[in-house]
Amino acid sequence: MSIGKNIAHDSGASHVTGSSIFIDDRVDSINEVFVGIVTSKIAKGKLLNIKMKRALAHKNCLGVYTSKDLAAKKWGAIFHDQPILVEEDISYFDEACAIIASDDRSKVLEIVKLVELETKEEKPTLTISEARALDDYVYKAPKPFSQGDIKKGFEDSEHILEGEFICGGQEHFYMESQAAVAIPVENGQMQVHASSQHPSETQRVVAEALGVPFHKVVCVVKRMGGGFGGKESQAAPIAAYAAIVASKLNRPTRLILTKDEDMKITGKRHPFENTYKVGFDKDGRILSLKVHLQADAGAYTDLSSSILERAMFHTDGAYYLENCEISGISYRTNNSSNTAYRGFGGPQGNMTIESIIEDIANYLNKDAYEIRRLNIYEGDKTLTPYGQELENNMLPALFDGLYKSCDYQKRLSEIEKFNNLKTGKIRGISMSATKFGIAFTARFLNQGSALVNLQLDATVQASTGATEMGQGVNTKIQQIISHAFGIEPKDIIVMSTSTEKNHNTSPTAASSGSDINGAAALDACNKIKGRLTELVKLIFSGVESDAIIELEIKKGSLDPDIVFENNKVKQLSSGKEIDLKELINSAYFNRISLGGYSHYKTPGLGFCKDRIEGKAFNYYTQGVAVSEVQVCEYTGDLKVLRSDIYMDLGRPLNPGIDKGQVTGAFVQGMGWVTTENLVYADSGELKTYSPTTYKIPNIQDTPRVFNVDFITNNDNECNVHRSKAVGEPPFLLGTSVWTAIKHALSYRADSKQMNLKSPATGEEILTELQRLKNGK
């Protein structure tokens, strides 16, 4: 039985030995061409002319291509509003305006610098407040999420606070930058190898740019060196640049961005500036809440509308809001077009309510855990602001279980004593939670497919629409197939994702890659097993193999009396068994199909955002985290002393991989709220575009003590093998580090309300400390 076991990641050995093949590890083809991108040096204005004479005179330049060379001028994940290459209007600093081709990789950047852009600069809009003043937005939620009577709720409230929560963006910082190799093949076809989370979208954008039907483009994704959402939509134009050059020159073409180029050109996590008004009683019970979310979409729509909605879906966090109104708008600025990022807006919404709870606790001079425990979804209080019931609610057990196991009360007392010593260091502790809805909020994306081929030696080749970016989706699918056929995981290979085998795929995103593609793989296996089951029952009944030849076994069905395990097929009632390989060969000689294709769609989903009704999510992954921090009052230096995580992952398919996802997501979330600060010049140019100026967490930043545990929950019947998704939910738990900082600062606060921004860098901590000490 493979389900629930810690089998190794299917690429683990090749990763550590350096033999895994990524895009730029592909051996150079004969006559391969290399591409560079020419970008704008203004954030807003007009592109008047592209001077390419000097570039074309370079001995290694094979061509310069502009929007005039594209069949389709624009692309977009939802709305086609973003230029593949700028035609006239420049909308952000370092926007792609032209591409160059060179026969010498070392000369690409040299040639790029020879292309001159004549532009007319205009005043850019670089902040949410500037865009709000212009009323310039890309999307406004059609209707707020609301329930109850917020007016009466505020009238009944003993206390009312108003404030804002501000959080910055975040660079994806995947190890493998955006990359693509395009290979022209016969009859005008194009094969594209891309580092993409969404092969089907990459296929479509390439085909549209080339002006060819979709069936002439095949996109192949073996693996990515990280994605985190940054390759969901924005990998597509990168592949298109390579394909255009390959088509023009009829030569294999490679485009690999440097880390600096990638950070400058591509979009980030959406910054948010959220305002709130909260009413509560003397105990801290929230009686009324009004929140308005304001996102920075950047220059184009990309996925901003869906990200804003996801933020609205998660503004309740883990807490029941009897009377509430949650609205949102996504503003257009002249920053790079912001895009998907792990959590997809969920962290920005969830962190808002966690910040509000810290404010309530500080105002009432209570511990924030008391406020959280008082307000969580519990008992019959399980209706969300968007009208969906929280089923299989594990939050009370998670809160109570972690509170006890991490010795919260004892540690809180010790922190209070430590802070009274006035050593120049202050400590804080805080719990935060996640109730992450699993499903794409766009209903049509909740579908997957799988092709499973059972070979004559009882090994399997499988293909799905999921893409592997290090998260282990292929390993989980390998385990699902292994369990289905009763064979070893090593006897299964999950092949490269390809649009010629799995068509019209959804992106591997929304934490649902294992869910929808794993369910499709299981169904494909069961189709094969159904036919084998009918055959083996005939064999066990005494029918000779020669007599089976004329029987038509096309479909068949599973039978609990027939069990596939340990490379054998057994009949429980009779005790008879046969080697799986022998049964497979009998099926082959009797012309019974040993291949299975399945299309899966998540049942029961359907949410109407105009009426605010329906089922938005298939289920919820829930979890809590407690973090303890120490802050230096003189330098703002932060140390995370300890973090404890307790999560509900249903019945994990692979606990080891899931634990890796939890710890990795937590640290990435912790980085977002502490050190990862994006800095822009007044011109709109990104200044923090390399590891020297942009600080992701390193080993010294991780918690000194780090505990992860999973609660037992076998009741998630709506997902494959009762598992739960794990990719995004634990990212939200990194918030506990930020709320712990807020708790620490409260010990030095003469003010009843804090304005700590995220990320809480050393500079931000010192600024807030000074303000709080002055009672402002």
Side-chain angles (χ1 to χ4, degrees):
M1 181 175 177
S2 298
I3 299 302
K5 289 188 176 180
N6 290 330
I7 73 166
H9 190 289
D10 73 325
S11 297
S14 59
H15 283 349
V16 298
T17 57
S19 57
S20 294
I21 303 298
F22 295 89
I23 298 295
D24 206 24
D25 293 318
R26 294 176 58 85
V27 177
D28 292 1
S29 303
I30 297 173
N31 293 325
E32 190 162 274
V33 177
F34 305 94
V35 178
I37 305 176
V38 181
T39 64
S40 65
K41 298 308 168 191
I42 61 172
K44 184 179 182 182
K46 301 293 183 183
L47 178 60
L48 304 177
N49 188 29
I50 300 176
K51 294 183 178 180
M52 54 186 76
K53 185 175 180 181
R54 290 175 61 214
L56 291 172
H58 194 289
K59 67 176 184 178
N60 296 112
C61 181
L62 302 177
V64 179
Y65 306 97
T66 70
S67 64
K68 295 176 183 177
D69 296 291
L70 303 171
K73 309 298 184 185
K74 294 186 177 182
W75 73 282
I78 299 175
F79 307 107
H80 280 51
D81 64 344
Q82 182 163 354
I84 298 175
L85 291 170
V86 169
E87 290 184 85
E88 181 181 5
D89 294 319
I90 294 170
S91 296
Y92 67 90
F93 206 101
D94 280 313
E95 186 171 11
C97 296
I99 52 178
I100 68 97
S102 173
D103 58 7
D104 186 337
R105 186 172 190 166
S106 67
K107 302 297 182 183
V108 168
L109 294 180
E110 183 179 310
I111 297 169
V112 164
K113 292 176 182 179
L114 295 176
V115 178
E116 299 175 57
L117 303 179
E118 283 188 12
T119 60
K120 180 182 178 182
E121 189 170 8
E122 300 171 6
K123 187 180 187 316
T125 301
L126 299 174
T127 66
I128 290 173
S129 60
E130 291 171 351
R132 184 170 57 241
L134 297 171
D135 196 29
D136 189 4
Y137 58 88
V138 301
Y139 180 76
K140 185 177 184 179
K143 191 175 180 181
F145 293 170
S146 63
Q147 66 179 354
D149 185 338
I150 63 168
K151 182 180 178 181
K152 186 176 185 306
F154 283 122
E155 290 173 352
D156 294 342
S157 297
E158 297 175 62
H159 307 285
I160 293 176
L161 286 176
E162 294 186 66
E164 65 178 359
F165 167 72
I166 298 175
C167 60
Q170 185 180 20
E171 164 61 36
H172 298 87
F173 219 94
Y174 27 67
M175 296 303 292
E176 178 193 33
S177 294
Q178 298 279 2
V181 170
I183 304 169
V185 290
E186 63 186 17
N187 299 323
Q189 298 173 55
M190 187 68 64
Q191 185 181 86
V192 177
H193 294 262
S195 187
S196 170
Q197 293 174 236
H198 198 346
S200 290
E201 182 171 40
T202 299
Q203 174 198 25
R204 290 192 288 268
V205 173
V206 167
E208 289 167 355
L210 295 177
V212 300
F214 294 174
H215 77 297
K216 287 200 171 187
V217 177
V218 173
C219 180
V220 180
V221 179
K222 172 61 179 174
R223 61 169 61 88
M224 287 162 274
F228 309 118
K231 296 174 181 175
E232 179 175 343
S233 63
Q234 299 199 358
I238 300 300
Y241 300 150
I244 286 295
V245 174
S247 177
K248 293 289 185 181
L249 300 177
N250 197 32
R251 292 169 64 172
T253 303
R254 185 180 302 237
L255 172 53
I256 312 292
L257 295 187
T258 65
K259 179 55 69 180
D260 289 11
E261 289 175 314
D262 194 304
M263 292 182 72
K264 290 177 181 180
I265 293 171
T266 60
K268 323 295 180 200
R269 180 185 292 280
H270 289 63
F272 273 64
E273 294 182 6
N274 305 331
T275 60
Y276 70 87
K277 179 180 179 181
V278 61
F280 49 96
D281 65 17
K282 61 182 176 59
D283 297 318
R285 186 182 301 278
I286 296 173
L287 301 180
S288 198
L289 177 66
K290 185 173 184 178
V291 177
H292 183 54
L293 307 177
Q294 302 169 103
D296 180 348
Y300 304 105
T301 306
D302 198 273
L303 292 159
S304 296
S305 56
S306 295
I307 288 164
L308 177 69
E309 288 164 359
R310 174 68 79 157
M312 292 171 64
F313 276 119
H314 288 79
T315 297
D316 62 326
Y319 312 104
Y320 174 70
L321 304 174
E322 183 177 2
N323 305 295
C324 68
E325 180 180 287
I326 302 164
S327 58
I329 188 169
S330 195
Y331 285 104
R332 186 192 312 278
T333 66
N334 293 113
N335 297 313
S336 57
S337 191
N338 290 317
T339 190
Y341 201 126
R342 198 174 196 168
F344 204 75
Q348 294 96 315
N350 189 85
M351 197 171 171
T352 303
I353 187 69
E354 297 290 4
S355 179
I356 290 170
I357 285 178
E358 291 292 330
D359 287 342
I360 293 171
N362 190 48
Y363 184 88
L364 294 175
N365 196 28
K366 289 177 175 287
D367 178 53
Y369 175 80
E370 295 179 39
I371 312 300
R372 290 186 168 91
R373 187 63 185 82
L374 184 65
N375 285 285
I376 63 169
Y377 284 100
E378 189 172 20
D380 60 355
K381 296 179 178 179
T382 56
L383 184 66
T384 65
Y386 44 92
Q388 181 170 339
E389 290 285 345
L390 171 59
E391 298 174 345
N392 194 213
N393 180 19
M394 303 297 290
L395 289 169
L398 289 165
F399 267 82
D400 295 344
L402 186 57
Y403 181 85
K404 182 178 179 180
S405 67
C406 79
D407 292 324
Y408 184 95
Q409 189 58 49
K410 177 184 177 184
R411 291 163 62 195
L412 178 63
S413 299
E414 291 172 348
I415 285 169
E416 291 173 347
K417 292 176 184 177
F418 178 87
N419 289 341
N420 287 333
L421 296 176
K422 303 292 179 69
T423 63
K425 293 181 173 61
I426 46 176
R427 291 179 179 175
I429 189 171
S430 182
M431 180 183 288
S432 70
T434 181
K435 171 189 61 65
F436 199 88
I438 303 301
F440 288 97
T441 51
R443 179 172 173 265
F444 72 92
L445 291 176
N446 295 286
Q447 57 180 307
S449 63
L451 174 65
V452 175
N453 293 324
L454 184 57
Q455 307 293 335
L456 294 180
D457 62 352
T459 61
V460 173
Q461 291 177 324
S463 304
T464 76
T467 55
E468 175 64 52
M469 61 194 92
Q471 84 279 33
V473 64
N474 285 354
T475 306
K476 289 186 174 182
I477 291 171
Q478 191 180 37
Q479 288 179 268
I480 290 169
I481 297 171
S482 166
H483 180 73
F485 287 120
I487 60 179
E488 293 294 321
K490 67 179 177 59
D491 292 329
I492 301 148
I493 293 178
V494 180
M495 311 300 289
S496 299
T497 308
S498 173
T499 55
E500 66 180 338
K501 288 180 288 186
N502 297 94
H503 58 286
N504 303 326
T505 57
S506 296
T508 304
S511 303
S512 61
S514 296
D515 287 12
I516 58 177
N517 293 284
L522 179 58
D523 189 57
C525 291
N526 286 340
K527 288 180 178 179
I528 301 170
K529 286 176 65 180
R531 294 189 290 267
L532 291 178
T533 295
E534 294 301 313
L535 174 62
V536 80
K537 286 196 292 187
L538 288 171
I539 293 172
F540 287 159
S541 69
V543 178
E544 295 295 331
S545 180
D546 290 344
I548 297 172
I549 291 176
E550 298 305 320
L551 296 177
E552 289 289 332
I553 301 178
K554 293 181 178 179
K555 190 171 182 181
S557 60
L558 300 180
D559 185 336
D561 192 38
I562 302 296
V563 177
F564 290 67
E565 61 181 16
N566 298 323
N567 284 288
K568 295 184 182 296
V569 181
K570 302 176 182 178
Q571 188 174 48
L572 299 179
S573 58
S574 68
K576 294 179 180 179
E577 65 177 38
I578 185 173
D579 285 343
L580 177 60
K581 190 185 298 185
E582 183 181 342
L583 178 61
I584 290 169
N585 278 269
S586 179
Y588 172 69
F589 284 112
N590 282 285
R591 298 180 296 181
I592 297 170
S593 173
L594 295 168
Y597 173 84
S598 179
H599 175 267
Y600 174 82
K601 58 181 180 181
T602 309
L605 295 178
F607 180 80
C608 178
K609 57 190 176 185
D610 293 314
R611 296 193 301 271
I612 316 298
E613 64 180 25
K615 184 177 181 181
F617 302 113
N618 191 30
Y619 61 87
Y620 296 89
T621 295
Q622 302 155 72
V624 292
V626 170
S627 289
E628 182 178 348
V629 302
Q630 178 174 284
V631 172
C632 177
E633 295 184 72
Y634 305 118
T635 66
D637 181 58
L638 169 70
K639 287 183 172 58
V640 183
L641 303 178
R642 175 174 169 180
S643 291
D644 295 78
I645 299 172
Y646 196 31
M647 290 204 73
D648 160 34
L649 298 182
R651 185 184 291 170
L653 296 173
N654 188 315
I657 283 179
D658 285 356
K659 186 174 183 179
Q661 285 287 286
V662 169
T663 53
F666 178 89
V667 171
Q668 192 174 43
M670 181 189 75
W672 173 52
V673 302
T674 57
T675 64
E676 297 187 42
N677 192 33
L678 293 163
V679 178
Y680 294 85
D682 292 341
S683 62
E685 180 182 9
L686 178 68
K687 306 304 291 184
T688 49
Y689 57 79
S690 77
T692 60
T693 51
Y694 184 81
K695 188 182 186 310
I696 63 171
N698 62 30
I699 192 66
Q700 300 298 328
D701 298 309
T702 56
R704 273 58 177 173
V705 178
F706 201 1
N707 300 312
V708 177
D709 197 9
F710 303 145
I711 198 169
T712 300
N713 178 13
N714 296 319
D715 297 331
N716 190 44
E717 298 178 2
C718 62
N719 197 41
V720 59
H721 289 302
R722 305 193 181 199
S723 63
K724 285 194 173 186
V726 67
E728 294 169 290
F731 181 98
L732 282 65
L733 298 179
T735 296
S736 63
V737 173
W738 186 85
T739 52
I741 296 170
K742 203 166 182 178
H743 176 243
L745 299 186
S746 71
Y747 284 94
R748 300 294 186 260
D750 292 328
S751 169
K752 282 289 188 182
Q753 201 163 355
M754 282 185 272
N755 294 322
L756 184 68
K757 298 177 183 177
S758 177
T761 61
E763 295 88 343
E764 175 63 24
I765 289 171
L766 285 178
T767 300
E768 184 64 6
L769 261 175
Q770 191 61 46
R771 190 190 69 80
L772 291 171
K773 287 180 179 179
N774 293 335
K776 294 182 179 177

